[in-house]
Amino acid sequence: MSKLAEFSDGQKIPQLGFGVAGILPEDTQAMVEGALGAGYLMIDNASIYKNEVEVGRALERSDVAAGDVFVTSKVWPLDYGFDNVIKACHKSLGDLRREAFDLYLLHWPVPSLGLYVESWKALIELQKQGLVKSIGVSNFYPEQLQKLIDETGVVPVINQIELHPYYQRRAEKKFHDEHNIVTQCWSPLGRATCLLDDALVGIAAKHDKTPAQIVLNWQIEQGNVVIPRSRNMGRMQQNFDVYGFELDDEDRRQIAALDKGLDGRLGEDFDLKELPND
Ligand code: A2P
């Protein structure tokens, strides 16, 4: 059973969820059914992943009660603008066959579009209408978070960013903590690149765990919410089995030393790059 993190609006989110980015539509239903069977009670989705219908089907077929699964989706920047965001949310809710999302996020700020504040206002409206319980963002830098706060007075409950041992983003995490924003980590395993690192292999051997389990335990003990991805059932189950042991200060010191700053970044930055549509 995953531990829970609490949002500033009072809602709780399982700290350990299953991310479906990059899972092909034809594989999605089986993987999500497997994840629910393994105990995951939070699914992280987005319209751009193009597998919301298949996730919806898995949720419908599962023995787990619909209300027990925490479901997130995200609006893609090409759907930004007040009315478009409202429309996009209705479309995602229909595809996933949900009456409301537990969490709905702006996927990237893309400041060149000039639409993220207006789109944030649409999320505030969706929350008022009861179509989304909590609202947050993804891939926002502190200055962009501050702009949302200054212009609307509404603080996102969560910011989902790339964060892993090679890219630890301590200053951003500190900003989140100071503003009661939960840090959610995509690619929490660093796309598996850090799992072969000698330090993590050594810590894993000491605790009789895998490097992935060490990284996820380290993320969770800091209060982060993680959504490890795997297209493999065994590894997906392994990634849920991350409790029942505690890192010591020497482990923490060694993991802290793995940070490469910006050089550790693995994902794209859509603030700089042209947005894909599929
Ligand atoms: P696979 O899908 O073959 O399991 P991240 O979530 O950081 O983006 O990492 C995803 C990558 O890490 C995928 O390539 C995935 O491969 C791999 N991965 C996920 N879980 C594990 C694990 N427990 N051990 C090793 N590699 C893993």
Side-chain angles (χ1 to χ4, degrees):
M1 184 83 173
S2 169
K3 292 183 184 166
L4 301 168
E6 188 167 350
F7 292 150
S8 55
D9 65 8
Q11 199 187 183
K12 293 188 174 136
I13 180 172
Q15 274 186 280
L16 182 52
F18 187 61
V20 297
I23 299 187
L24 293 172
E26 56 267 37
D27 299 332
T28 300
Q29 188 178 335
M31 288 306 298
V32 173
E33 283 178 17
L36 296 169
Y40 288 84
L41 286 177
M42 185 256 282
I43 306 292
D44 180 81
N45 209 335
S47 60
I48 195 69
Y49 304 160
K50 309 283 186 207
N51 54 13
E52 287 179 304
V53 168
E54 292 75 12
V55 170
R57 228 175 263 147
L59 290 168
E60 222 165 48
R61 280 178 46 113
S62 159
D63 293 336
V64 182
D68 289 347
V69 187
F70 187 108
V71 179
T72 303
S73 193
K74 316 184 192 82
V75 56
W76 191 241
L78 294 177
D79 289 325
Y80 281 2
F82 191 90
D83 293 341
N84 285 344
V85 169
I86 305 276
K87 250 188 252 158
C89 182
H90 280 281
K91 163 96 171 55
S92 285
L93 283 170
D95 284 351
L96 271 151
R97 275 158 287 170
R98 305 295 283 187
E99 284 179 6
F101 285 126
D102 298 288
L103 178 63
Y104 199 53
L105 309 178
L106 299 181
H107 207 145
W108 288 86
V110 195
S112 58
L113 291 176
L115 289 170
Y116 70 79
V117 174
E118 181 185 325
S119 301
W120 180 241
K121 289 179 182 163
L123 263 58
I124 295 169
E125 176 60 25
L126 286 165
Q127 189 179 35
K128 276 195 195 127
Q129 292 178 8
L131 292 171
V132 305
K133 292 184 193 157
S134 294
I135 53 176
V137 296
S138 184
N139 302 301
F140 275 53
Y141 291 112
E143 58 274 21
Q144 296 161 336
L145 292 166
Q146 192 63 56
K147 187 162 164 165
L148 292 184
I149 298 167
D150 291 344
E151 297 207 16
T152 68
V154 180
V155 185
V157 296
I158 201 164
N159 187 20
Q160 184 184 123
I161 56 174
E162 178 186 343
L163 194 155
H164 44 78
Y166 283 163
Y167 188 35
Q168 299 189 18
R169 310 182 78 167
R170 291 197 195 96
E172 286 163 78
K173 164 90 177 142
K174 183 162 174 274
F175 182 93
H176 295 170
D177 292 347
E178 285 166 1
H179 291 81
N180 230 334
I181 297 169
V182 170
T183 301
Q184 184 170 28
C185 311
W186 59 264
S187 284
L189 302 173
R191 295 188 174 167
T193 55
C194 61
L195 303 179
L196 297 176
D197 197 287
D198 285 348
L200 284 170
V201 171
I203 297 168
K206 186 167 107 184
H207 292 277
D208 199 18
K209 295 285 165 190
T210 67
Q213 289 169 324
I214 298 296
V215 172
L216 295 172
N217 182 290
W218 168 79
Q219 296 263 23
I220 287 168
E221 74 167 16
Q222 297 170 75
N224 294 346
V225 173
V226 288
I227 43 168
R229 291 187 295 179
S230 181
R231 297 182 191 84
N232 171 283
M233 283 290 180
R235 284 191 285 277
M236 180 258 281
Q237 289 163 354
Q238 177 198 122
N239 294 344
F240 197 74
D241 181 19
V242 299
Y243 295 105
F245 70 100
E246 203 178 334
L247 301 175
D248 59 35
D249 286 344
E250 175 55 20
D251 302 332
R252 294 185 187 107
R253 195 194 58 71
Q254 284 189 40
I255 301 174
L258 297 179
D259 189 18
K260 301 180 183 183
L262 255 185
D263 288 344
R265 180 174 192 147
L266 299 166
E268 287 95 346
D269 185 346
F270 289 117
D271 280 7
L272 305 172
K273 196 182 153 199
E274 203 174 317
L275 282 167
N277 195 14
D278 55 30

